[in-house]
Amino acid sequence: MQSDRKPLQRDRGRLMDRFADRRFEAFFEGAEPVVSDARVAPDRDDPLSSPHFDALIPPLIRWIADARGRLLVRGESPHASTDPFPAIRSGYDWRRALDPVDRKALLQAATHSANPRPLRVRMMGADGERRWAGLRMTCVSTGRGGTRWYGTIEYLPDLQDEVCALREALAEAREHYRWSVELNPQVPWTARADGALEEIGPRLREMTGISLDPRSHLRWNDMLHPDDAVATMARWDDHVQSGEPIIVEQRVRLTDGGYRWMRSKAAVRRDARGEVIRWYGTLEDIHDQKVAQDALAESEGRFRLAVQAAGLGIWDFDIETGARTWSPELRAMLGLADDVPATQECAMALVHPDDRSILQNMMATVARREATTHFEATLRIHRADDGALRWIRSMGWTTQSAGGRPKRVLVTFQDVTDQEEADARIRWAAGHDAMTGLPNRAAWQATLEQMTARADETGERFGLMLFDIDDLKRTNDALGHDAGDALLCEFAARLLAMAPPGAVLGRLGGDEFGLIATSLRDSDALQAISAAILENIRRPYVHDGRSLDCGVSIGGAVYGEHGRQAGELFKSADLALYASKASGRGRVTLFHSDLRAQAQQHSSMIRMARQAVSDKLITPYYQPKVDLHSGQTVGFEALLRWHHPRLGVQTPATIAAAFENCELAVAMTDRMLDAIVRDVRRWIRAGFDPGRVAFNASAADFMDDDFAQAVLRRFARGGVSPRHFEIEVTETVFLGRGADNVARALHRFSKAGVRVALDDFGTGYASLSHLKQYPVDVLKIDRSFINHLEGDAGDAAIVDAIVKLGTSLSIEVIAEGVETQRQRELLIDHGCRFGQGYLLGYPAPFVSPPKTAT
């Protein structure tokens, strides 16, 4: 028996060595499966009936594999009604039914033992889901030097429920722990045996920003106040050594840099040998309690120091005995001699009559022993010695007996007259304009809203007027801001003198004023007072020996007639003021419905212009400039057009208001220049010389001192010479602000080769000296003179004069708006060589090459 056993052991050793070396080696190599054959099992004709299965738990699936882990054959238990694991097939395909982790566990088990312990594995079930199964196997010698693995797979449906239950229990335990920790006012923590912190409750992490890193060896001193760290750590180290519980109070640093007092309690957990395993503890926020204790301990000393430093007067009243004591500082504050009794009647006589009820209520409360712990009030008194009115602030504290009844009242008094007067000045300044003394915009607007609310209840009407001083900036620029400020103050004084009784005036802005009056109940009243104010304002002002002229534009509206809300009424008056300024200034306009329509149209134009710029809807249309004699095109003018999403191509008139908006005007010029440069470059590359293409520039463009250089850089980037361009400006550009910028820009353009054209010549207010002051190369006769050239001798004379002026100054002259053949002939007779208009060519978008006008 012993000799028989040794060969078997040697075979088993060789088997396990081979299994270790070649075990399931095709498992990871993807070898082709070997078709099973019952003949490979030497036990009997039916290998699945081997008695080796009898030693195992009755399985659902039986299987046999060779020494390399190749499944030779499998079969179901007679007790199995269905195949729970159809993915298990012969050869090496059975591995696909196992999770990768379980495959490694199976391999490891087979390597270390010929009869490994049962395994729980997850296998692919019939429904494609992973199911728990019990796997048992044993290694058996075949008797011919070979080995076979016999095994069973048992479906474990109960384990599925067990796992789900365990998962639910784990989730519930986690939630239970989280709620217990988060709602507990004490913060739990743990530390290693050496005292290094391991875990801290989430509340402390939120307060301190501490993030525990296992490698950081964080200790308490990393979060303590420097004044507490040394003593705390000394005690902590002692207790770590001894293992005794510890209670210590210290200040813990917070994320905002502040500190809070915490009480830490800790105890140790030991193992069976008495060795320290871990420290468990809690942190309790005792900051409020600690602060209260410190405050109570120091309150008396602080109070004494505060009284001395602030010069406070003290009134001490013992409720039990009725004794009253006034400090020397209080007597000096009240103007009382030392021998005057401290009685309630004496104090009441000094208080201002309007404030005596406050003191009476306080004393009555004390008498009824209902005084609150703390109270304060500010009273006015007349000093007993000189009768001076002073503001006194009193603050009182009540102490209570053990039974909770008021015992003693201590009141401090402080003279706050200077502070009250300063506060009054601040309150006045917050609601008034410092220069004119009138209410400021906020205060005036609040009054308007109050009057509107009251009028809405009573039905009473009132008038609102807005005033704008004309040309205040011109006064500031010409005579200095001192003169402008004097003009503002004089205007405010005259307006205040002319205002109807009960009117509320306000300075709403730099040169804008407002007036509200209940006596102005209709438009006639507004018109009458406006006429009188205009007449008074026109009288000259005198400042430092200089006479200052002043005009004012006025807009008015009436509550109930032009609006029933404060904002609506103000908007109506503002629209009327805008209309007065737009119509020439120095005028009065009362609101009417057309103003709102005009404002809506203005807003619509601005909105459409913004859309045209942002959506790149702006495009140039080119109108040819033609030699009137030969009909040849000598150049083009780029005219702005934009594409409305619904209405199609639109002229600049549909967005005229946008040209008064500096931001939009500049943006539209940029869009035009980008397109013009691109089109001229395409013409030149196509072999066509467009001559000079004129583009228009607004006053807003010249506000940028770098305008000319920016345009020239755009030409350079586009690879187009400046000689192909002409800039057109109107005479109004010379008269606006930034005239120096205009001059510099035009000279830069001219020096670079860009011609300068003066558009709409003869319709503006520019002086003829501008023709010498600026580098003008072209005069464009306005179409208003061409329209009546055939029948109006005056227009003909103007055209003739402009042509002769241009000829004498060597300036090219172009007539705009040529629409009839007769106009063309008359222009030729007057010596005008060039023109543009519908007769000569309509504006058209870019074409390559453009058609030549005839």
Side-chain angles (χ1 to χ4, degrees):
M1 292 297 291
Q2 188 173 2
S3 59
D4 293 340
R5 179 178 298 179
K6 288 182 179 179
L8 178 60
Q9 291 175 346
R10 286 196 298 270
D11 291 342
R12 179 173 298 174
R14 288 195 299 271
L15 167 65
M16 295 313 296
D17 291 341
R18 188 183 310 116
F19 196 88
D21 294 338
R22 305 179 59 194
R23 62 190 183 282
F24 300 99
E25 60 186 16
F27 186 83
F28 298 106
E29 297 174 358
E32 294 297 326
V34 177
V35 179
S36 91
D37 189 344
R39 290 174 297 176
V40 301
D43 294 284
R44 59 181 64 181
D45 293 338
D46 183 7
L48 295 180
S49 301
S50 171
H52 293 293
F53 288 114
D54 297 339
L56 305 175
I57 298 175
L60 293 179
I61 297 175
R62 299 180 177 183
W63 57 268
I64 302 175
D66 62 15
R68 299 178 61 191
R70 179 174 51 191
L71 191 65
L72 302 176
V73 65
R74 59 152 284 174
E76 291 77 20
S77 168
H79 304 289
S81 59
T82 59
D83 186 355
F85 303 114
I88 301 177
R89 292 291 180 259
S90 299
Y92 295 115
D93 283 347
W94 62 272
R95 65 191 178 198
R96 300 174 184 170
L98 286 172
D99 274 356
V101 174
D102 295 333
R103 288 203 298 269
K104 293 181 180 179
L106 175 60
L107 181 61
Q108 185 176 9
T111 302
H112 290 84
S113 174
N115 189 23
R117 58 186 298 180
L119 300 176
R120 285 190 299 179
V121 296
R122 286 157 295 184
M123 308 189 75
M124 187 71 70
D127 57 359
E129 298 291 334
R130 298 287 182 184
R131 302 292 182 186
W132 285 101
L135 190 149
R136 301 169 183 265
M137 61 183 182
T138 184
C139 183
V140 179
S141 173
T142 61
R144 295 188 299 272
T147 58
R148 292 287 185 269
W149 285 90
Y150 288 75
T152 62
I153 299 174
E154 179 182 2
Y155 178 46
L156 303 176
D158 293 341
L159 189 58
Q160 315 296 330
D161 298 336
E162 179 183 346
V163 170
C164 293
L166 287 174
R167 288 176 178 171
E168 292 177 359
L170 178 59
E172 172 60 25
R174 287 175 176 170
E175 282 298 298
H176 176 75
Y177 176 76
R178 183 176 67 84
W179 281 83
S180 299
V181 170
E182 291 184 356
L183 296 179
N184 194 332
Q186 294 184 341
V187 180
W189 58 267
T190 64
R192 295 197 298 264
D194 61 358
L197 290 173
E198 287 185 320
E199 296 179 346
I200 297 179
R203 288 187 59 233
L204 187 64
R205 286 199 296 271
E206 294 172 1
M207 294 170 62
T208 64
I210 290 176
S211 177
L212 287 181
D213 185 339
R215 298 167 297 179
S216 65
H217 301 287
L218 182 69
R219 294 173 64 87
W220 284 112
N221 59 337
D222 297 321
M223 68 176 88
L224 298 182
H225 192 285
D227 295 343
D228 301 338
V230 175
T232 299
M233 293 312 301
R235 291 194 59 196
W236 175 243
D237 290 340
D238 290 342
H239 284 263
V240 167
Q241 295 297 325
S242 66
E244 294 297 324
I246 182 175
I247 299 177
V248 63
E249 296 178 356
Q250 68 272 311
R251 285 164 291 182
V252 175
R253 186 178 63 251
L254 308 181
T255 55
D256 62 1
Y259 291 86
R260 287 192 74 82
W261 280 98
M262 299 281 186
R263 178 183 291 120
S264 177
K265 298 181 179 180
V268 69
R269 181 165 71 91
R270 303 176 185 272
D271 60 15
R273 297 188 305 273
E275 298 293 333
V276 175
I277 299 175
R278 184 173 285 104
W279 286 87
Y280 293 85
T282 60
L283 279 177
E284 180 183 359
D285 189 333
I286 60 169
H287 187 78
D288 295 338
Q289 175 184 346
K290 192 72 174 179
V291 170
Q293 290 174 351
D294 293 344
L296 182 61
E298 298 178 7
S299 62
E300 184 175 352
R302 286 203 311 268
F303 185 72
R304 286 196 299 267
L305 292 175
V307 169
Q308 295 173 3
L312 298 177
I314 305 297
W315 175 48
D316 190 356
F317 175 52
D318 189 326
I319 298 178
E320 298 294 337
T321 64
R324 293 177 175 86
T325 303
W326 291 354
S327 70
E329 292 82 4
L330 177 58
R331 290 181 175 276
M333 195 180 299
L334 301 178
L336 292 173
D338 295 340
D339 56 352
V340 176
T343 64
Q344 179 174 332
E345 292 75 17
C346 177
M348 193 68 67
L350 298 177
V351 176
H352 190 283
D354 294 341
D355 296 342
R356 286 175 183 169
S357 60
I358 300 175
L359 183 59
Q360 287 174 341
N361 292 334
M362 291 171 55
M363 291 183 171
T365 301
V366 171
R368 293 194 301 268
R369 299 193 177 188
E370 299 174 357
T372 58
T373 303
H374 174 73
F375 57 89
E376 60 181 284
T378 301
L379 309 170
R380 289 167 292 176
I381 67 161
H382 289 282
R383 286 173 54 90
D385 52 359
D386 57 11
L389 180 66
R390 308 297 292 178
W391 286 88
I392 304 295
R393 177 179 298 159
S394 63
M395 301 182 66
W397 293 265
T398 302
T399 62
Q400 295 180 340
S401 64
R405 295 175 61 83
K407 179 180 180 181
R408 185 179 181 185
V409 178
L410 190 67
V411 185
T412 64
F413 294 87
Q414 183 180 20
D415 191 323
V416 293
T417 304
D418 294 341
Q419 180 180 340
E420 286 292 328
E421 292 176 350
D423 290 344
R425 289 192 296 270
I426 292 173
R427 288 191 296 270
W428 184 92
H432 290 78
D433 172 53
M435 181 182 298
T436 63
L438 296 177
N440 59 20
R441 187 183 190 94
W444 186 86
Q445 187 75 28
T447 302
L448 173 61
E449 293 175 356
Q450 294 169 3
M451 293 181 64
T452 304
R454 185 167 59 251
D456 188 50
E457 296 176 356
T458 63
E460 181 182 13
R461 289 193 172 194
F462 63 88
L464 184 152
M465 302 174 68
L466 297 179
F467 305 86
D468 192 289
I469 299 177
D470 298 333
D471 297 325
L472 177 64
K473 184 180 184 304
R474 184 174 59 184
T475 300
N476 286 329
D477 293 343
L479 303 177
H481 286 277
D482 289 344
D485 293 347
L487 185 62
L488 280 171
C489 293
E490 182 63 22
F491 175 82
R494 292 191 184 186
L495 185 60
L496 189 61
M498 295 292 298
V504 179
L505 281 75
R507 185 184 178 192
L508 310 185
D511 57 359
E512 187 176 352
F513 293 78
L515 182 150
I516 319 169
T518 55
S519 58
L520 306 177
R521 295 183 175 87
D522 52 41
S523 298
D524 291 341
L526 280 179
Q527 193 71 47
I529 191 67
S530 298
I533 291 174
L534 279 177
E535 184 65 26
N536 181 277
I537 295 300
R538 288 194 181 102
R539 291 189 293 107
Y541 299 83
V542 177
H543 173 68
D544 287 345
R546 293 175 177 267
S547 179
L548 305 179
D549 293 329
C550 179
V552 64
S553 298
I554 304 176
V558 177
Y559 172 83
E561 183 178 349
H562 304 136
R564 302 190 66 86
Q565 300 294 328
E568 181 185 6
L569 187 64
F570 184 89
K571 183 64 175 177
S572 297
D574 194 44
L575 290 174
L577 176 62
Y578 181 83
S580 292
K581 293 160 62 176
S583 61
R585 299 179 179 270
R587 300 172 182 270
V588 178
T589 303
L590 301 184
F591 178 79
H592 53 85
S593 58
D594 290 344
L595 295 179
R596 183 170 285 114
Q598 293 170 9
Q600 292 172 349
Q601 182 184 23
H602 183 276
S603 298
S604 177
M605 287 182 175
I606 295 294
R607 185 175 61 255
M608 290 190 297
R610 291 191 186 279
Q611 181 181 359
V613 170
S614 62
D615 295 349
K616 298 182 179 180
L617 304 178
I618 293 175
T619 185
Y621 269 47
Y622 298 97
Q623 186 174 38
K625 292 185 286 187
V626 176
D627 187 318
L628 296 176
H629 294 276
S630 65
Q632 295 298 314
T633 299
V634 296
F636 295 89
E637 180 182 0
L639 303 174
L640 184 147
R641 298 292 185 269
W642 68 283
H643 291 271
H644 191 283
R646 183 170 50 86
L647 302 178
V649 179
Q650 301 293 304
T651 66
T654 58
I655 54 173
F659 295 98
E660 301 174 8
N661 183 295
C662 292
E663 176 189 356
L664 285 174
V666 171
M668 289 188 289
T669 299
D670 287 342
R671 290 281 188 266
M672 285 288 290
L673 283 173
D674 287 341
I676 293 169
V677 172
R678 181 192 64 230
D679 293 343
V680 171
R681 182 176 65 248
R682 292 164 64 187
W683 274 331
I684 294 173
R685 290 180 177 177
F688 173 76
D689 185 358
R692 291 186 181 270
V693 178
F695 63 92
N696 292 275
S698 67
D701 294 317
F702 288 99
M703 295 299 292
D704 183 2
D705 188 45
D706 192 46
F707 173 60
Q709 294 296 350
V711 173
L712 293 174
R713 286 195 295 268
R714 183 182 269 112
F715 294 162
R717 287 195 302 270
V720 183
S721 173
R723 69 178 182 83
H724 288 290
F725 297 96
E726 182 177 287
I727 183 171
E728 293 191 5
V729 295
T730 61
E731 294 174 319
T732 56
V733 172
F734 300 144
L735 303 178
R737 290 184 296 175
D740 293 340
N741 285 354
V742 176
R744 284 192 297 269
L746 293 182
H747 280 93
R748 287 175 182 170
F749 278 125
S750 180
K751 184 177 180 180
V754 179
R755 291 208 306 178
V756 178
L758 190 56
D759 199 10
D760 300 337
F761 187 75
T763 61
Y765 302 97
S767 169
L768 292 178
S769 64
H770 289 148
L771 298 180
K772 295 178 63 179
Q773 182 180 356
Y774 298 100
V776 177
D777 302 298
V778 181
L779 292 179
K780 301 192 74 173
I781 305 176
D782 188 71
R783 66 180 64 248
S784 62
F785 300 119
I786 307 301
N787 289 340
H788 305 290
L789 183 61
E790 301 174 44
D792 191 315
D795 285 348
I798 292 174
V799 170
D800 187 69
I802 295 174
V803 172
K804 290 179 179 179
L805 177 64
T807 302
S808 63
L809 296 176
S810 299
I811 297 176
E812 184 180 291
V813 178
I814 299 177
E816 292 185 299
V818 181
E819 299 182 356
T820 68
Q821 185 62 31
R822 180 57 181 162
Q823 291 173 349
R824 177 178 184 175
E825 294 170 354
L826 290 174
L827 287 169
I828 293 175
D829 292 342
H830 285 292
C832 182
R833 182 178 176 183
F834 302 102
Q836 65 184 90
Y838 291 159
L839 175 69
L840 308 173
Y842 283 88
F846 170 82
V847 291
S848 179
K851 297 180 180 179
T852 301
T854 58

